[in-house]
């Protein structure tokens, strides 16, 4: 069974190259954390080998393409910050579970969005089809839940189920608003909290649970995760407007053209109601398969002119500040300082 090596998940050893950007968020003077991230990367990539034959390649392709691995990193650091002297048994299994849930959501998103690329490569649905991508995502979710159960961390399964509920609710709000030109800042923020903040919140809470930390520490790390995850999503929304297409692996305003609500667009529509017609034209052009070049450039320019990017960035900073305030409720430690560094990097990233 694919969980047979679960005991190994609790051993923070190994010299494997991380192959992800999580290690880049850590300073070079954090060798223990760097080794743990590298070890988890190797274990994470081994998970799809246990999937049914027809599903493994789709799941493996996504994981092999790399990724930021921010969620498992946050969980590992949260566990150590919650109880610096504790080995936090089960934390590695939960860290991998968090990334499996994230990967499952990406497989599902690409099907919903008719996505052609993911992380700069052909999306798994392009190679193996929508059905395989959906079921591979489902398998990853069951793998995550099984890992949470077998971690033997009290409350971990319940915490993951709550996170999944919140994540699905966020995705449902996004689906309801898809193609709309009249979504509000509050609705865009609800999407960010649900589809991204919820899993980060799980990472904070699950780290505390693995460390058997008291309730006040669990609550602080849950809040830290929720707020930093929301800030991370707002930063991602900003990159959709102003990021480098090559670095992101997708075209500028790709999410907007697909009709997804975002905080910068919500602010821009609030400040410049005439933008609704421009956005509607972009959506119709994308649906018709027409070239979007000039429309994208014009819409991006108007969003910038509205001051929406600065306003959205300010909201992201508020979320980050709230995350930092929650983190101050933990005892001071080098790991708590590392969490501050990581959370700050999430907001200021460029890809």
């Amino acid at each position: 069974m694919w969980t047979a090596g679960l005991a190994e998940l609790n051993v923070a050893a190994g010299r494997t190259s991380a192959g992800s950007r999580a290690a880049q968020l850590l300073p070079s003077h954090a060798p223990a954390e760097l080794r743990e991230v590298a070890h988890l990367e190797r274990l994470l990539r081994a998970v799809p080998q246990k999937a049914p034959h027809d599903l493994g390649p789709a799941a493996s392709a996504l994981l092999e393409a790399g990724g930021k691995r921010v969620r498992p990193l946050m969980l590992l650091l949260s566990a150590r910050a919650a109880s610096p002297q504790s080995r936090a048994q089960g934390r590695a299994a939960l860290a991998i579970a968090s990334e499996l849930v994230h990967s499952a959501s990406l497989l599902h998103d690409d099907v919903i969005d008719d996505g052609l690329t993911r992380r700069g490569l052909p999306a798994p649905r392009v190679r193996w089809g929508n059905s395989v991508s959906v079921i591979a995502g489902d398998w990853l979710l069951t793998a995550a839940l099984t890992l949470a159960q077998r971690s033997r961390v009290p409350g971990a399964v319940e915490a993951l189920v709550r996170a999944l509920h919140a994540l699905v609710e966020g995705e449902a709000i996004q689906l309801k608003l898809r193609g709309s030109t009249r979504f509000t800042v509050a609705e865009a923020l609800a999407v960010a909290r649900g589809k991204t903040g919820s899993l980060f919140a799980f990472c904070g809470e699950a780290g505390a649970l693995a460390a058997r930390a008291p309730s006040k520490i669990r609550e602080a790390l849950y809040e830290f995760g929720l707020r930093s995850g929301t800030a991370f999503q707002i930063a991602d929304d900003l990159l959709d407007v102003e990021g480098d297409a090559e670095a992101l692996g997708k075209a500028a305003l790709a999410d907007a053209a697909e009709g997804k609500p975002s905080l910068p667009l919500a602010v821009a529509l609030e400040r410049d109601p005439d933008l609704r017609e421009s956005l509607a034209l972009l959506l119709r052009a994308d649906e018709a398969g027409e070239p979007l070049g000039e429309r994208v450039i014009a819409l991006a320019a108007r969003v910038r002119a509205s001051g929406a990017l600065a306003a959205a960035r300010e909201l992201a900073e508020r979320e980050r500040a709230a995350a930092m305030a929650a983190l101050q409720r933990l005892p001071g430690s080098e790991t708590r300082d590392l969490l501050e560094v990581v959370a700050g990097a999430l907001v200021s990233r460029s890809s």
Side-chain angles (χ1 to χ4, degrees):
M1 193 171 179
W2 70 269
T3 51
L6 185 61
E8 189 186 17
L9 296 178
N10 294 315
V11 181
R15 303 285 180 176
T16 311
S17 172
S20 74
R21 282 175 278 177
Q24 298 175 19
L25 296 173
L26 291 169
S28 58
H29 63 265
E33 288 79 8
L34 289 167
R35 286 196 300 272
E36 192 161 17
V37 168
H39 185 57
L40 285 179
E41 182 70 21
R42 180 172 65 82
L43 295 172
L44 178 65
R45 293 185 182 212
V47 170
Q49 297 174 13
K50 305 298 182 180
H53 177 71
D54 293 339
L55 306 181
S60 182
L62 183 61
L63 292 170
E64 289 289 338
K68 301 176 188 68
R69 310 294 195 241
V70 173
R71 293 157 188 82
L73 175 61
M74 294 279 276
L75 197 150
L76 293 173
L77 292 177
S78 293
R80 191 170 295 181
S83 182
Q85 306 306 318
S86 170
R87 293 185 59 83
Q89 293 297 312
R91 72 181 185 275
L94 296 176
I96 290 177
S98 71
E99 188 67 14
L100 295 183
V101 170
H102 175 55
S103 297
S105 72
L106 297 182
L107 286 169
H108 290 161
D109 283 351
D110 285 341
V111 173
I112 295 170
D113 301 337
D114 291 327
L116 299 178
T117 61
R118 172 63 66 181
R119 293 170 178 162
L121 298 171
R125 62 169 289 272
V126 174
R127 294 185 61 185
W128 291 281
N130 286 340
S131 297
V132 169
S133 286
V134 169
I135 299 173
D138 292 345
W139 186 86
L140 288 177
L141 289 175
T142 64
L145 286 164
T146 302
L147 271 175
Q149 180 186 47
R150 297 201 172 198
S151 73
R152 300 186 183 279
V153 172
V157 173
E158 292 83 353
L160 184 54
V161 169
R162 287 194 299 272
L164 288 172
H165 275 297
L167 191 155
V168 171
E169 287 171 3
E171 293 282 6
I173 297 171
Q174 178 174 266
L175 186 62
K176 181 185 73 171
L177 298 174
R178 185 161 187 154
S180 171
T181 61
R182 295 184 177 275
F183 52 88
T184 66
V185 170
E187 288 172 324
L189 194 56
V191 171
R193 287 201 195 286
K195 78 172 192 175
T196 304
S198 60
L199 191 52
F200 276 76
F202 165 75
C203 292
E205 182 180 12
L209 288 169
R212 277 57 171 182
S215 59
K216 64 178 183 179
I217 299 297
R218 294 201 306 270
E219 291 165 4
L221 281 167
Y222 176 92
E223 181 74 9
F224 168 75
L226 180 67
R227 297 296 196 133
S228 58
T230 303
F232 177 78
Q233 182 58 53
I234 297 171
D236 194 67
D237 291 344
L238 283 162
L239 289 174
D240 187 52
V241 181
E242 62 181 357
D244 178 78
E246 185 175 346
L248 293 173
K250 63 180 181 179
L253 282 175
D255 291 343
E258 291 170 359
K260 293 181 180 178
S262 73
L263 197 63
L265 273 179
V267 175
L269 291 170
E270 211 172 65
R271 295 183 172 197
D272 182 4
D274 291 341
L275 264 178
R276 293 194 179 101
E277 182 57 29
S278 297
L279 180 57
L281 289 172
L282 179 69
L283 295 173
R284 287 199 290 270
D286 182 66
E287 189 174 346
E290 298 173 6
L292 304 180
E294 292 300 322
R295 296 188 190 280
V296 165
I297 292 172
L299 182 61
R302 289 186 64 179
V303 171
R304 286 193 292 270
S306 73
L309 299 185
R313 195 170 291 109
E314 184 180 341
L315 281 169
E317 285 295 338
R318 286 185 199 168
E319 291 294 315
R320 187 193 67 81
M324 295 301 100
L327 202 56
Q328 295 308 307
R329 286 144 56 187
L330 272 67
S333 68
E334 290 183 2
T335 308
R336 192 186 77 174
D337 294 342
L338 280 178
L339 277 174
E340 290 186 9
V341 170
V342 171
L346 297 182
V347 178
S348 60
R349 66 200 181 93
S350 59
S351 65

